[in-house]
């Protein structure tokens, strides 16, 4: 990865500054854990084309990723959520695959920095 896509300091800045980086790192850990909890059900919903569940989980993950400034992840969730909410034909599987790639990037980044914050 040639460019640092994620950075705790950028998240602190996004949140308005003045927040301890360790607290932000803990919040990111909660986000990663929540995404991991939701992903199997999300995957099943995409496979089954269950737009109600896609909308629900997409909305939830869109909000939590937006709160941390994870814009790429948020945008994919928004696409999934909006298309499902409006019951539109859409390549849900391709979007979900992109979301999985973004999820993995966040997880790998967080795994590489969490020890710096005692996590």
């Amino acid at each position: 990865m040639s460019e640092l896509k994620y950075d705790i300091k950028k998240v602190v800045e996004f949140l308005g500054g003045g927040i301890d980086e360790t607290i932000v790192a803990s919040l990111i850990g909660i986000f990663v854990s929540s995404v991991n909890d939701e992903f199997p059900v999300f995957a099943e919903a995409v496979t089954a084309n269950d737009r109600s569940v896609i909308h629900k989980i997409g909305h939830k993950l869109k909000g939590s990723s937006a709160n941390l400034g994870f814009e790429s992840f948020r945008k994919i969730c928004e696409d999934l959520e909006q298309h499902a909410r409006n019951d539109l034909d859409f390549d849900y599987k391709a979007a979900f695959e992109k979301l999985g790639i973004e999820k993995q990037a966040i997880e790998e980044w967080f795994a590489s920095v969490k020890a710096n914050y005692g996590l």
Side-chain angles (χ1 to χ4, degrees), residues 72-114:
S72 295
F73 193 94
R74 184 209 61 79
K75 176 66 174 120
I76 298 167
C77 288
E78 181 178 44
D79 285 346
L80 286 159
E81 174 207 13
Q82 293 298 314
H83 284 88
R85 183 184 77 183
N86 294 306
D87 198 26
L88 299 172
D89 288 335
F90 179 68
D91 194 342
Y92 294 96
K93 289 180 183 179
F96 186 75
E97 286 175 13
K98 288 179 187 176
L99 190 64
I101 292 167
E102 194 64 29
K103 171 186 170 291
Q104 183 176 355
I106 292 169
E107 289 173 337
E108 289 174 0
W109 162 73
F110 184 65
S112 74
V113 299
K114 68 182 184 178

Side-chain angles (χ1 to χ4, degrees), residues 8 12 19-28 116-119:
I8 296 274
V12 169
I19 303 169
D20 184 87
E21 289 181 18
T22 302
I23 292 171
V24 172
S26 293
L27 292 173
I28 294 168
N116 299 341
Y117 300 96
L119 304 173

